[in-house]
Amino acid sequence: MTTLAIDLTSTEYRLNPWPLYARLRDESPVHHVPGGAADGTDFYVLSRYDDVALALKDKKLFSSQIRRDDYMNLPMLVNRDAPEHTRLRHMANRAFNARLVRTLGDWVQTLVDDLMTEVLSHDRVEFVEAFTTMLPLRVVGGMLGIPLDRKKDLRRWSQAVMDSFAVAAGMDPDEAPGFFEDLMEFGNYMGDLAAERKGKPNQEDILGELVVQHEAGDLTRDELVTMAWSFVAAGHETTMNLLGGGFHMLLSDPELAKRMLAAPERSGDFAEEYLRLNSPTQWLLRRAKEDVELHKSVIPEGALVHVLLGAANRDPRHFPDPDTFDLDRPNRGDHMAFGAGPHFCPGAALSRLLADRAFHAYYDHLDRFSLDPGAPAQYRTRQGSYGIARMDVLVTPTTGDK
């Protein structure tokens, strides 16, 4: 038997982790990787559904504050425990709540329609750039008050946020040159935008709510800035990969496309099963707060733990026939693509809204799209992220189109 090893730098692991996940679940559900991080420190890996759920939900055994004594110890939701996390999460929920998301429907629909009209005006388009990246960026950017002429900067800043999570997990910072400078640039920009809002009427968007809380003394400037980073990550990464991967699946599977065209009201089921099968965020991080014994192995106090969402969501102990897309799977909603427990993704409701509107737009024009057979889809190779990076699509003109 070959040695069971995890190499975070391996492109093969990033593009096709599923075989390794299966071996981890079966052979080493608590897997120790000596010196596996870029700085030479050890980490442990959890891959089974029940163990992943435990790590995400049990606040007594596992901490979310991954970095404590270095430049990456940022006051972000993902890097804090209670009571500080409880306070920050309360502030986040006030700024980005279900009521706000419910009011966004018409605006989101306008953005979807505008982007789809632009896509359909070409005979060939790179769909990730034109639609699946642009839609969540426009939505999140708009909610943070970032003007459209800064969309290229927002894309760069968004990548810097995601790279910061990967570096915190042990990725070599050299793989993301300039990420911290971009992160600081984003922070300074958001600080300037917030300063411009002070003393003015609340515009009822996310930035407006954060400014209100800052003026009331409930959020520091640094917390306001890192809250903006959190919203970019929550509203962008998962949605982008869901929209692109779902579209690719519809174009690749005529029978599935036919079924969805006949029952578009099942778009929510489609999205949840896609998220289970192809978790856009493949892992989250925790630290053991005390020695934790699982499966006759001990994770020592203070150890870094990679919590594999992508492996848990394909665990046959919880999801029968887990590698198959099953629209009728009764427990598809049990997936942890948005995390679980106190750190459940605050952007989940927005992601689901965007997916619903986007998929309905896909159905309306699906007969005009086809994948370019000469340019297969390219997948992302950034650590911890799974999704399509480039997808060339051919567009058939309708009668009367030039």
Side-chain angles (χ1 to χ4, degrees), residues 61-334:
L61 293 180
F62 294 94
S63 169
S64 297
Q65 188 163 356
I66 305 306
R67 306 297 285 254
R68 298 177 183 273
D69 302 313
D70 63 9
Y71 73 108
M72 292 300 296
N73 183 23
L74 300 168
M76 302 179 75
L77 280 168
V78 295
N79 190 50
R80 288 294 183 266
D81 293 324
E84 193 173 4
H85 172 265
T86 304
R87 179 180 65 84
L88 290 174
R89 184 59 183 252
H90 178 67
M91 298 296 107
N93 290 344
R94 283 175 55 184
F96 193 33
N97 53 54
R99 175 187 57 79
L100 174 61
V101 172
R102 285 195 298 270
T103 68
L104 298 177
D106 291 344
W107 176 57
V108 167
Q109 189 64 56
T110 298
L111 293 178
V112 168
D113 292 343
D114 288 349
L115 288 173
M116 186 58 71
T117 298
E118 174 62 23
V119 166
L120 291 169
S121 69
H122 302 277
D123 58 7
R124 177 192 176 101
V125 68
E126 200 288 282
F127 200 77
V128 173
E129 169 69 18
F131 193 96
T132 69
T133 298
M134 194 57 60
L135 178 61
L137 279 180
R138 282 197 180 183
V139 170
V140 176
M143 296 171 74
L144 287 172
I146 300 174
L148 275 177
D149 62 5
R150 301 303 297 266
K151 64 183 180 182
K152 289 184 179 179
D153 291 324
L154 182 56
R155 185 183 297 111
R156 175 167 54 87
W157 294 333
S158 176
Q159 185 60 60
V161 173
M162 301 312 299
D163 286 340
S164 73
F165 297 155
V167 170
M171 184 179 82
D172 188 341
D174 289 342
E175 286 195 46
F179 87 93
F180 196 73
E181 290 78 6
D182 287 342
L183 203 62
M184 293 301 101
E185 180 187 338
F186 183 23
N188 291 333
Y189 180 75
M190 291 307 306
D192 291 342
L193 283 185
E196 293 174 4
R197 295 278 193 100
K198 286 185 177 180
K200 297 179 181 179
N202 187 353
Q203 297 182 21
E204 302 298 331
D205 57 5
I206 287 178
L207 182 59
E209 293 295 328
L210 293 177
V211 169
V212 167
Q213 295 173 41
H214 178 50
E215 290 185 309
D218 295 330
L219 283 179
T220 67
R221 181 190 181 280
D222 286 348
E223 288 170 344
L224 182 152
V225 166
T226 56
M227 194 76 76
W229 294 346
S230 298
F231 286 130
V232 166
H236 176 226
E237 183 74 8
T238 296
T239 307
M240 173 182 64
N241 291 327
L242 167 59
L243 298 184
F247 188 59
H248 186 270
M249 183 175 284
L250 290 170
L251 293 181
S252 304
D253 188 337
E255 288 303 314
L256 176 61
K258 182 178 179 180
R259 188 173 181 186
M260 294 311 302
L261 285 168
E265 70 278 2
R266 298 205 62 188
S267 293
D269 297 338
F270 177 89
E272 298 305 319
E273 177 64 355
Y274 180 87
L275 289 169
R276 183 202 65 80
L277 187 67
N278 299 299
S279 306
T281 298
Q282 284 290 295
W283 42 252
L284 296 174
L285 301 169
R286 295 293 184 267
R287 282 198 186 275
K289 297 177 75 171
E290 58 185 63
D291 288 355
V292 179
E293 182 174 355
L294 289 170
H295 309 291
K296 299 181 180 179
S297 297
V298 175
I299 303 173
E301 179 182 354
L304 183 67
V305 182
H306 281 227
V307 183
L308 298 184
L309 305 179
N313 288 338
R314 291 194 182 206
D315 187 349
R317 297 161 188 78
H318 194 86
F319 299 103
D321 193 16
D323 296 326
T324 298
F325 181 92
D326 181 1
L327 188 65
D328 298 317
R329 185 180 300 278
N331 65 342
R332 59 184 171 272
D334 290 353

Side-chain angles (χ1 to χ4, degrees), residues 361-376:
Y362 295 167
Y363 307 145
D364 290 343
H365 305 287
L366 204 57
D367 61 334
R368 295 186 58 187
F369 292 114
S370 61
L371 296 172
D372 184 346

